[in-house]
Amino acid sequence: MRLIFEKSVTGRSAFSVPRCDVPGEPKIPRKYLRKTAARLPEVSELDVVRHYSNLARKNFSVDTNFYPLGSCTMKYNPKFTERIAAMEGFLSLHPLLPQLRGGGLLTQGALEVIYQTERLLCEITGMEAFTMQPLAGAHGELTGAMLIAAYHKDRGQKRKYVIVPDSSHGTNPASAAIAGYEVIVIPTDKTGCMDFTEFKKNLNQDTAAVMLTCPNTLGIFNSRIKEICDEAHKVGALVYYDGANLNAILGKSRPGDLGFDVVHINLHKTFATPHGGGGPGAGPVGVGEKLVEYLPVSRVMQRPDGTFALSYNHPKSIGYIAPFYGNFSVILKSYAYIMRLGRQGLIDVSEKAVLNANYCRVKLKDEFDVPYDRICMHEFVISASRQKEGGVSALDIAKLLIDNDIHPPTVYFPLIVKEALMVEPTETESLQTLDRFVGVMKEAARLSREAPQSLTQAPLSMPIKRLDETRAAREPRLRWELDSDNR
Amino acid sequence: MSYIPHTEAEIKSMLAAIKVNSVEDLFSDISPDLRPKSFALPEGRSEFEVMENFRRLAAKNATGLVNFLGAGFYDHFIPAAVDSLADRPEFYTAYTPYQPECSQGWLQSIFEYQTAICELTGLESANASLYDGGTALYEAAMVAVRATGRKKIIMDSGVNMVYRSILYSYTSNLQIEFVETPVVHGQSSREEIFRVLDDRTAAVIVQNPNFMGAVDDHADIVDKAHSLGALVIQSVYPLALGMLKSPGETGVDIATGEGQSLGLPLSFGGPYLGFMACRKQLVRKMPGRIVGETVDRDGKRGFVLTLQTREQHIRREKATSNICSNEALCALRAVIYLSLVGKQGLRELCELIYRKAEFAKTMFERVPGVEVKRSSPTFNEFTVRLPQNADSVVSRMIDKGYACGFPLGRFYKGMDNYLLVAVTEKRTKEDIVKMIESLEAVLCA
Amino acid sequence: MNIPEDLLYTKEHEWIRIEGADICRMGITDHAQAALGDITFVDLPADGSDCGQFKQFAIVESVKAASDVFAPLSGTIVGSNTELTSNPELVNQSPYDKGWFCLIKFSDEKEKEKLFSPADYRKYLEETAH
């Protein structure tokens, strides 16, 4: 499909600039003005609408396709939350309004949303306090790592290392490194958990924190999790909970009770806000008692009279990590979702998410290698290594799924499993959808034995075939050029 | 059950397939001592009841005010087609386009967004967006540190105070030296910047227009910085680039900014849109997602996420940044907005806004005791000095139905009487005239 | 697997060719390029910069991986293969010749003892392949 820029016709316009109703023709001195106009598209409104409507149709999405992308929790996003976020009373609020008159009196509804969501997340995770500011999961991790650094610094300690298991999300070591830490990687044992002996060997007075996902990226809940937290605390280290997989344990376990000191949650995963093609999400961070004083400013407080206010007077705070109060409309949607589901609804979420994952795992284990074959939580990892011997890779299987209108699972992650396919069905998918997925996966296994060549050609039903990623990386073309010869 | 399709019969048959007796058996790895001490949440409610609750909350916010409040975040008009297109679920319920064949809609949209940002900024390369203008500025500072191998950064105090604070918190565990330089007569102090600029400097960070609304031409700072091997980072107001000298024309190395003005609602502070554009030589140092053009097996044009080897899922602790997502939906809104406004429309819109702001200045000047700061040109936002405490004036103006500006004393010591006033295309002549009438009344009372 | 007889090797799959009293040329081995796949970018150290034996000093990227490259010997960089900037595929096509990385003026003759002979490297590859 042509680019919107390629549809441009000189002189065409979609925009109606409001009438100028003020007198005078003032001018800014020429040296401050741009000399050549930005070459934005010159198109009609219908051109724009048709262009992006047609582009929309070239995407797989939760509303149109089964989307079992592991560790991403692509559950159904209820429509009513969009309606709430679009309410004028929230949508048009300027973020600096709380700075005017009486600290927040103009935005009581919005501050209440933030405050109440914090309280609900505290109860869900067993933490003492939350900041809703982090703008994404990885941003939450960085905030958490900064809180950890502030805690140790305040105790006059210069701890150097953060421990992560080799199954961790790549953002964990990256966030730790950006907060100034060196990263120590612990291998996974036969049961799919962080090797406890190796962990203890590397744990010492220089350890600032241990960062864990529980259940981990293999979908396994580590039964020794509390012991790990206890051991870390013994040497004065803190323990960080990556909440990417929280959808597995709602009402079944709480990181706060297990001994975790810092938690981040992905609202766009567990709490059903749409992923938006990669964002906006939200990654609020919860802390135990000993870290509350380091939370970023501003914080939302409730006054004795029941009204809400922003408070900035926290001398030990790590400071500003976002311009305002977080991705407010994302917070709003997740609050509505939690309120809609309630206590039992959230427990059902995890129970059915785990049920769906185990069902798929059991149905697939005859055809695919399951490296850690045991009861899993909300997701599991299979390996296409058997198929690979016949020349069919995990990527080929992913592409065959696309031809069957199913978004592929996460592939080649976690890194410790060869030819990994990480499957997270989520609770909102029906038995019929799961059976269809299992059927297509079995067909992929059959084809990889009988006609491997056919798999390496997939997908054939999409607007384009497999793309040359090497070419894209060798000679990056990151924008359209007016004189581009490449049509 | 809410959004869960399972019937009792189906649950039974699934448990049988798994060969366990109950759903609880699936949680046997979580022993009793690992179970929640409490899970005291309210019980669920119907969609209708929840909607009513939020209507009640929304009504507790003051949304009827006529808005002259800006300070980096502006009340612009959003064409209906932006909402209608960005509300398509094939966009908003998709995730990061890891599988290009079934994500060409997203990938092409982001490629178009990158192109639009390059055009606006006059720079060669842009990424697929970052969280917001502040975090984008931090990431740009880190690009400069990596690219130059230096650790000193000169920070103009005309940069939004919130952005400066974000940079200081993020770098507090890294050995980065910041030197803040003052604003003189509204603009960046050349004297001070040139005094502290040296061959240990990684970057000079400036903002245009700056926080007080002043428009500047930073070309001389660029020349001096480049002669010493330092980079220049400019934080810009993207909508104003329909009119103002672009970062590319100024010669800066990296431009960042807040894209909220490009079709995003104010939404109480987010989600917003951080954009980043840079010179070609820096592209492999740029953080975040990037979409590139390539061809498929038949030679047909297509788009993929590219240069991913810089990212954390491959580089882990050696990644250029820990950011693994962008604000795709916000970037989509921006490119749709820019397409609707178009080449000519953006220029006309900027001129209209500029004229309205200049008119507002003359109206302020008619009020006895009020002085408009005119030492440098401005675009849509300007500083006025009131004869009384601005915080108190703003508060009294709210009773008259106006958010008449941002009292600068909130952020700056000694500026208690100063007010930062923003005007957009949504403010009519009547809005301005009546606001000024109310201001006169408030000041006289 | 091509392992030329006139070179020395490291555990991290770099090779060196001695080209003077204190000058060596280095690159990555045929095995390394094959394992990485299509190479898309090589980030080489600047001329005049110092390097330490077995310390990271360059990066090589393919579509799906980025690997650190380690200096086989301590010394100073006195030249690098600028051709790789525009043609990184030379590393795949000609790892021991046109795909070379840097020239190092090395500072400690004795460090060579810590490198593999061709026979040792072949043995090492066989041992680690499974």
Side-chain angles (χ1 to χ4, degrees):
Chain A
M1 205 169 126
R2 285 188 301 152
L3 299 167
I4 190 77
F5 293 89
E6 291 164 343
K7 294 178 178 171
S8 188
V9 175
T10 306
R12 189 172 286 168
S13 167
F15 191 59
S16 50
V17 179
R19 178 172 62 85
C20 183
D21 55 358
V22 296
E25 284 197 30
K27 291 266 182 277
I28 292 186
R30 190 171 281 275
K31 75 166 194 163
Y32 298 111
L33 299 179
R34 78 182 289 156
K35 291 190 177 57
T36 46
R39 289 166 298 177
L40 297 174
E42 295 178 272
V43 284
S44 72
E45 182 163 322
L46 176 59
D47 289 338
V48 177
V49 169
R50 197 167 281 161
H51 181 77
Y52 288 102
S53 297
N54 282 319
L55 281 181
R57 290 164 57 203
K58 291 175 187 255
N59 295 325
F60 280 14
S61 68
V62 174
D63 276 15
T64 52
N65 305 79
F66 179 42
Y67 213 122
L69 190 65
S71 262
C72 297
T73 317
M74 301 300 288
K75 64 169 75 176
Y76 170 64
N77 312 130
K79 299 297 165 195
F80 81 101
T81 63
E82 297 301 313
R83 194 75 75 80
I84 288 171
M87 287 179 181
E88 192 59 20
F90 296 120
L91 202 66
S92 64
L93 273 196
H94 195 289
L96 286 167
L97 276 179
Q99 300 292 331
L100 313 185
R101 185 199 254 177
L105 290 176
L106 300 173
T107 57
Q108 284 299 299
L111 294 180
E112 184 174 337
V113 167
I114 296 170
Y115 182 85
Q116 297 298 357
T117 312
E118 282 181 22
R119 295 321 308 158
L120 289 168
L121 293 181
C122 283
E123 183 62 21
I124 289 168
T125 57
M127 305 309 287
E128 186 68 23
F130 258 85
T131 172
M132 301 304 293
Q133 287 186 35
L135 304 169
H139 198 210
E141 288 178 27
L142 178 57
T143 306
M146 286 162 65
L147 289 166
I148 289 164
Y151 170 87
H152 291 303
K153 209 186 224 173
D154 201 23
R155 273 152 195 74
Q157 293 180 355
K158 263 201 132 155
R159 293 179 176 238
K160 272 174 74 178
Y161 303 105
V162 167
I163 291 179
V164 301
D166 60 1
S167 65
S168 74
H169 296 112
T171 44
N172 290 178
S175 301
I178 283 158
Y181 289 112
E182 285 178 45
V183 175
I184 294 179
V185 181
I186 309 292
T188 298
D189 68 14
K190 288 198 299 286
T191 67
C193 297
M194 179 170 77
D195 188 310
F196 194 77
T197 322
E198 275 300 309
F199 163 66
K200 277 201 68 176
K201 224 191 276 172
N202 282 280
L203 184 71
N204 58 43
Q205 305 288 333
D206 274 335
T207 312
V210 187
M211 288 180 98
L212 295 171
T213 311
C214 185
N216 66 15
T217 57
L218 297 162
I220 294 167
F221 190 96
N222 188 338
S223 320
R224 301 181 77 176
I225 192 77
K226 205 166 186 174
E227 259 179 277
I228 293 172
C229 293
D230 291 345
E231 290 296 332
H233 289 154
K234 269 187 215 162
V235 299
L238 299 174
V239 199
Y240 183 98
Y241 182 88
D242 175 336
N245 295 343
L246 189 72
N247 209 47
I249 61 160
L250 296 167
K252 300 294 177 188
S253 190
R254 303 192 308 170
D257 298 336
L258 300 174
F260 283 93
D261 302 288
V262 193
V263 171
H264 93 259
I265 290 176
N266 304 78
L267 296 184
H268 48 286
K269 296 179 182 175
T270 311
F271 299 106
T273 70
H275 284 64
V285 168
V287 292
E289 215 172 333
K290 56 190 170 195
L291 288 163
V292 175
E293 57 187 333
Y294 308 104
L295 283 174
V297 289
S298 59
R299 297 187 53 202
V300 181
M301 311 298 249
Q302 190 165 25
R303 296 193 184 99
D305 67 357
T307 60
F308 300 93
L310 292 172
S311 105
Y312 291 87
N313 187 20
H314 303 278
K316 290 189 175 177
S317 164
I318 57 171
Y320 284 76
I321 58 121
F324 297 104
Y325 327 106
N327 278 340
F328 178 72
S329 79
V330 179
I331 298 167
L332 194 57
K333 291 177 206 176
S334 63
Y335 179 32
Y337 175 80
I338 295 170
M339 192 179 276
R340 169 86 178 82
L341 261 58
R343 181 182 168 279
Q344 189 55 47
L346 291 179
I347 294 172
D348 286 342
V349 161
S350 287
E351 290 190 344
K352 302 309 180 295
V354 170
L355 179 67
N356 278 0
N358 277 289
Y359 179 77
C360 293
R361 178 183 59 82
V362 166
K363 290 282 177 178
L364 292 175
K365 70 184 206 180
D366 292 338
E367 299 284 355
F368 293 89
D369 288 346
V370 183
Y372 301 93
D373 188 19
R374 49 184 280 184
I375 297 276
C376 65
M377 299 302 281
H378 68 307
E379 68 186 3
F380 62 97
V381 178
I382 59 175
S383 165
S385 46
R386 209 189 298 170
Q387 288 71 24
K388 181 78 179 172
E389 284 166 21
V392 171
S393 66
L395 189 72
D396 295 327
I397 293 169
K399 302 305 184 194
L400 185 79
L401 285 167
I402 294 177
D403 266 339
N404 286 276
D405 290 328
I406 294 172
H407 191 286
T410 299
V411 287
Y412 301 105
F413 188 84
L415 306 175
I416 55 174
V417 174
K418 281 189 182 152
E419 298 297 321
L421 290 143
M422 185 194 211
V423 183
E424 182 182 9
T426 81
E427 73 280 4
T428 52
E429 298 299 335
S430 69
L431 177 60
Q432 293 72 34
T433 303
L434 303 184
D435 279 338
R436 179 158 183 277
F437 167 66
V438 167
V440 174
M441 287 296 284
K442 286 187 170 169
E443 177 65 6
R446 187 187 67 79
L447 283 173
S448 65
R449 285 190 306 270
E450 294 169 11
Q453 209 46 36
S454 68
L455 269 167
T456 56
Q457 293 306 311
L460 295 170
S461 61
M462 291 291 113
I464 51 155
K465 301 205 173 123
R466 284 196 212 182
L467 291 153
D468 185 346
E469 296 191 31
T470 305
R471 173 177 160 145
R474 271 188 188 156
E475 318 149 34
R477 292 174 78 106
L478 309 181
R479 56 158 299 172
W480 174 73
E481 303 283 353
L482 193 60
D483 46 7
S484 170
D485 50 358
N486 200 335
R487 291 291 150 92
Chain B
M1 259 179 282
S2 313
Y3 318 117
I4 292 174
H6 303 62
T7 66
E8 283 305 322
E10 286 172 339
I11 294 170
K12 254 180 139 171
S13 80
M14 292 169 83
L15 290 170
I18 304 167
K19 297 197 175 72
V20 292
N21 294 319
S22 69
V23 169
E24 201 41 60
D25 286 354
L26 299 172
F27 291 87
S28 55
D29 281 334
I30 311 181
S31 57
D33 62 317
L34 305 178
R35 295 297 174 126
K37 290 188 181 135
S38 156
F39 201 63
L41 298 165
E43 284 309 332
R45 285 191 259 169
S46 71
E47 182 173 316
F48 170 71
E49 291 166 299
V50 178
M51 294 284 286
E52 283 303 303
N53 181 64
F54 280 91
R55 274 195 197 98
R56 182 185 60 79
L57 285 168
K60 288 164 99 177
N61 298 319
T63 46
L65 299 170
V66 180
N67 198 3
F68 291 89
L69 183 58
F73 309 91
Y74 302 99
D75 182 22
H76 289 290
F77 176 73
I78 300 173
V82 175
D83 289 325
S84 134
L85 291 168
D87 282 352
R88 283 191 70 119
E90 303 98 318
F91 279 124
Y92 80 76
T93 74
Y95 200 23
T96 305
Y98 294 118
Q99 298 287 344
E101 298 88 348
C102 60
S103 315
Q104 280 302 298
W106 258 123
L107 288 159
Q108 180 171 331
S109 302
I110 295 173
F111 185 79
E112 291 172 349
Y113 161 82
Q114 289 173 185
T115 304
I117 293 297
C118 289
E119 281 298 327
L120 269 187
T121 57
L123 287 165
E124 289 142 338
S125 313
N127 72 9
S129 77
L130 297 158
Y131 305 137
D132 82 298
T135 47
L137 190 61
Y138 152 75
E139 293 287 355
M142 296 312 288
V143 171
V145 167
R146 279 194 298 275
T148 59
R150 304 173 181 180
K151 298 205 156 180
K152 175 174 158 184
I153 290 177
I154 298 172
M155 175 74 89
D156 186 302
S157 51
V159 174
N160 188 328
M161 191 281 283
V162 174
Y163 292 0
R164 279 182 278 146
S165 305
I166 290 175
L167 257 81
Y168 299 152
S169 357
Y170 279 4
T171 50
S172 62
N173 299 306
L174 311 171
Q175 269 64 53
I176 305 228
E177 177 195 352
F178 283 96
V179 183
E180 263 199 34
T181 55
V183 169
V184 175
H185 301 304
Q187 296 182 329
S188 308
S189 162
R190 270 49 179 190
E191 193 186 357
E192 198 51 26
I193 289 175
F194 294 161
R195 195 179 66 77
V196 292
L197 188 62
D198 57 17
D199 61 4
R200 294 188 306 115
T201 307
V204 183
I205 301 181
V206 291
Q207 179 174 319
N208 193 43
N210 71 15
F211 187 71
M212 313 288 185
V215 172
D216 203 338
D217 173 14
H218 293 119
D220 54 337
I221 296 176
V222 170
D223 288 345
K224 179 84 176 176
H226 286 178
S227 74
L228 288 161
L231 306 186
V232 174
I233 300 167
Q234 200 180 36
S235 179
V236 289
Y237 176 13
L239 190 116
L241 293 178
M243 182 172 173
L244 299 182
K245 188 167 181 176
S246 72
E249 288 170 327
T250 308
V252 309
D253 303 278
I254 310 173
T256 64
E258 174 51 64
Q260 179 269 326
S261 58
L262 306 175
L264 273 69
L266 285 162
S267 192
F268 204 49
Y272 286 167
L273 171 69
F275 64 86
M276 179 184 284
C278 68
R279 303 218 159 278
K280 215 169 195 165
Q281 304 86 289
L282 293 169
V283 67
R284 286 175 192 272
K285 304 258 187 318
M286 188 162 54
R289 295 261 187 254
I290 298 176
V291 172
E293 180 188 317
T294 185
V295 292
D296 77 356
R297 286 177 172 177
D298 297 340
K300 197 170 160 190
R301 179 171 71 181
F303 303 93
V304 290
L305 291 175
T306 193
L307 306 183
Q308 292 188 72
T309 38
R310 307 156 301 121
E311 293 190 52
Q312 22 62 43
H313 65 279
I314 288 168
R315 287 293 273 166
R316 297 177 75 86
E317 68 269 23
K318 287 177 180 159
T320 52
S321 156
N322 78 326
I323 289 180
C324 66
S325 55
N326 61 343
E327 300 287 80
L329 198 64
C330 304
L332 177 71
R333 292 184 73 95
V335 70
I336 293 171
Y337 176 85
L338 288 169
S339 301
L340 288 167
V341 172
K343 182 180 172 181
Q344 191 56 28
L346 188 68
R347 165 111 212 164
E348 288 170 17
L349 181 63
C350 283
E351 272 164 14
L352 175 70
I353 293 169
Y354 171 67
R355 285 169 72 173
K356 283 181 182 256
E358 290 299 310
F359 173 72
K361 278 185 186 173
T362 61
M363 291 303 291
F364 269 101
E365 279 170 338
R366 291 191 195 173
V367 182
V370 173
E371 182 201 349
V372 175
K373 303 309 265 183
R374 283 188 178 274
S375 52
S376 42
T378 61
F379 170 60
N380 75 324
E381 198 161 28
F382 54 90
T383 308
V384 297
R385 200 183 63 185
L386 302 174
Q388 300 171 20
N389 180 290
D391 209 21
S392 142
V393 171
V394 166
S395 189
R396 282 176 283 154
M397 284 294 281
I398 284 164
D399 292 330
K400 306 262 181 198
Y402 296 95
C404 68
F406 182 73
L408 283 167
R410 287 259 161 194
F411 284 174
Y412 295 90
K413 275 203 179 97
M415 296 198 80
D416 288 344
N417 284 13
Y418 287 83
L419 186 68
L420 186 64
V421 181
V423 179
T424 68
E425 70 280 15
K426 283 171 77 175
R427 297 294 76 85
T428 61
K429 181 180 173 189
E430 195 187 351
D431 287 340
I432 297 167
V433 170
K434 291 214 159 144
M435 185 269 285
I436 295 292
E437 282 171 12
S438 298
L439 180 68
E440 278 185 296
V442 159
L443 290 175
C444 287
Chain C
M1 195 57 62
N2 183 9
I3 303 175
E5 284 303 320
D6 58 335
L7 309 179
L8 294 173
Y9 299 88
T10 70
K11 258 186 170 167
E12 301 285 349
H13 312 286
E14 292 95 6
W15 56 261
I16 62 162
R17 179 183 290 124
I18 304 298
E19 296 193 347
D22 58 354
I23 299 286
C24 75
R25 192 179 292 267
M26 73 78 57
I28 64 169
T29 65
D30 190 27
H31 170 84
Q33 71 76 19
L36 281 163
D38 291 340
I39 286 165
T40 56
F41 181 65
V42 183
D43 192 8
L44 296 174
D47 283 4
S49 61
D50 291 335
C51 60
Q53 191 178 29
F54 306 143
K55 297 262 163 61
Q56 189 252 328
F57 81 136
I59 298 172
V60 56
E61 295 183 5
S62 63
V63 171
K64 297 289 180 201
S67 289
D68 290 336
V69 179
F70 300 87
L73 297 173
S74 305
T76 309
I77 310 299
V78 291
S80 59
N81 187 356
T82 49
E83 268 291 292
L84 297 183
T85 321
S86 45
N87 295 310
E89 61 272 25
L90 289 175
V91 181
N92 295 117
Q93 292 160 1
S94 171
Y96 298 111
D97 183 22
K98 286 184 181 147
W100 66 280
F101 279 29
C102 305
L103 290 173
I104 301 172
K105 183 174 182 202
F106 55 89
S107 51
D108 185 356
E109 183 81 18
K110 283 208 189 100
E111 282 182 352
K112 279 194 264 178
E113 290 163 17
K114 294 185 204 155
L115 303 180
F116 286 141
S117 69
D120 288 345
Y121 181 61
R122 187 178 298 277
K123 213 169 117 199
Y124 171 71
L125 282 184
E126 280 159 10
E127 280 167 5
T128 48
H130 49 79

